[in-house]
Amino acid sequence: MLDLVRNILMDAVLAGARAVVDVRRRGTVTARYKTGAELVTDADEASDSAMLAILRSRLGALDPSISLRLEESGSSGSQAHRHVGADPLDGTSHFAAGGTMYSVQAHYVEDGVPLVGVVFQPEVYLPLAESERCVGRLVDAVRGGGAFVRRTEFDGATFQMTAPRKVERRPPSGRHTFVAAVPITTKMSPAERATAQRVYESGLLAASMGVGNAGGNAMMVVFGGQDVYANLGAGEELDLAPPQVIAEEIGLTVWGPDRRPPVWHVRKMPVLFAPDDETAEAFLRAAGI
């Protein structure tokens, strides 16, 4: 069952990414604010439509009781204890600014526990600005089955993929200060900003990084570039549950404020990705959590 769901999510993510790439290839991205501080582009909407078509038809045939929630089109189905969520373009502001670390994501949850996660970054290695055959990275994980990465190349019509390679945990750094992403954004409340600011003042940070989206930040913890991603504001299930499965499958620590792996009975909560429990504890204490 989970492998079948994973395959459907992968196909949906690839379809969504194709829509995003098509918008970028046109040369003009149309953007508007859907709320006071939240941007949406025509790429978000095109990706959402492409993903929704696949998820509705194929998940409906597999198990009609699985409900859906997508970032732009919202929720559908019975809202049962099993659901699929998808973020058609995680990192909209980053994408609209020309960034290439954005991602297209999907996940499957039972009783709030993420069991399948897929994260696709279609331009992460070679962007469309340099080649029509952009090169990216597709990562998937099924709980208990490990995490796998495929290199992708866009051929103008589809994404060609290499054979899957198992993702391994990187060796610990042994450092006492860390390269980390601790975002402070307009979506955060004053109390949440103060929580993040305490980490900056704690002495834990050797350098502050970040790529403007949850999936990209989590993948940098998985593959290299930063040690910790601490989303201390209103972290969103749609862009944090997929990398959670991947990170946990390679042995990283993913904690919510209760120092447990997030269970998504709520839509939003602070979430921290770290190399181990000790580092995660240090960051939560520094934040005053």
Side-chain angles (χ1 to χ4, degrees):
M1 168 69 173
L2 292 182
D3 286 338
L4 293 174
V5 170
R6 186 261 319 273
N7 293 342
I8 294 170
L9 299 190
M10 288 176 63
D11 287 346
V13 160
L14 288 166
R18 167 64 196 270
V20 171
V21 166
D22 284 347
V23 170
R24 176 155 275 178
R25 291 167 77 202
R26 292 203 311 255
T28 302
V29 176
T30 302
R32 61 180 171 80
Y33 284 98
K34 61 182 178 181
T35 66
E38 193 167 359
L39 200 68
V40 63
T41 71
D42 47 351
D44 294 78
E45 293 168 338
S47 177
D48 191 286
S49 295
M51 297 182 76
L52 182 60
I54 288 176
L55 294 173
R56 272 183 174 165
S57 63
R58 292 181 58 188
L59 285 174
L62 178 67
D63 185 344
S65 72
I66 298 174
S67 61
L68 298 177
R69 179 172 176 252
L70 281 76
E71 176 70 20
E72 305 308 328
S73 53
S75 300
S76 59
S78 63
Q79 305 305 306
H81 71 104
R82 293 181 292 183
H83 75 268
V84 161
D87 191 336
L89 179 48
D90 175 35
T92 298
S93 295
H94 172 79
F95 172 83
T100 61
M101 292 288 286
Y102 65 90
S103 58
V104 180
Q105 304 194 65
H107 67 281
Y108 171 70
V109 166
E110 289 186 2
D111 295 319
V113 178
L115 300 181
V116 182
V118 180
V119 178
F120 184 27
Q121 298 171 288
E123 296 187 68
V124 71
Y125 293 137
L126 181 65
L128 284 166
E130 297 298 326
S131 171
E132 284 289 308
R133 301 182 69 91
C134 62
V135 179
R137 174 172 63 202
L138 177 69
V139 193
D140 71 273
V142 173
R143 189 167 296 277
F148 296 86
V149 58
R150 296 165 175 84
R151 182 179 180 271
T152 66
E153 183 175 343
F154 186 62
D155 66 6
T158 61
F159 292 97
Q160 301 296 324
M161 293 187 289
T162 63
R165 173 178 60 84
K166 190 169 185 178
V167 182
E168 303 288 350
R169 180 179 178 177
R170 294 183 293 120
S173 68
R175 298 193 305 270
H176 298 294
T177 58
F178 304 91
V179 178
V182 188
I184 297 178
T185 75
T186 56
K187 295 180 181 181
M188 298 171 74
S189 69
E192 289 167 342
R193 292 192 194 101
T195 299
Q197 187 61 43
R198 285 194 287 270
V199 178
Y200 281 94
E201 296 167 356
S202 69
L204 279 176
L205 299 186
S208 175
M209 300 292 289
V211 294
N213 65 97
N217 279 320
M219 290 302 97
M220 287 181 70
V221 178
V222 170
F223 290 104
Q226 58 194 21
D227 303 301
V228 174
Y229 171 44
N231 186 325
L232 299 173
E236 169 65 62
E237 173 196 350
L238 296 181
D239 55 29
L240 286 168
Q244 176 186 344
V245 185
I246 293 165
E248 290 176 343
E249 280 302 302
I250 68 168
L252 300 182
T253 294
V254 185
W255 276 358
D258 60 356
R259 290 162 173 79
R260 297 171 182 263
V263 175
W264 295 98
H265 293 305
V266 296
R267 292 299 186 195
K268 300 182 180 231
M269 71 177 89
V271 178
L272 187 145
F273 291 72
D276 49 48
D277 291 1
E278 181 181 2
T279 303
E281 179 66 31
F283 270 76
L284 288 177
R285 285 188 178 181
I289 297 175

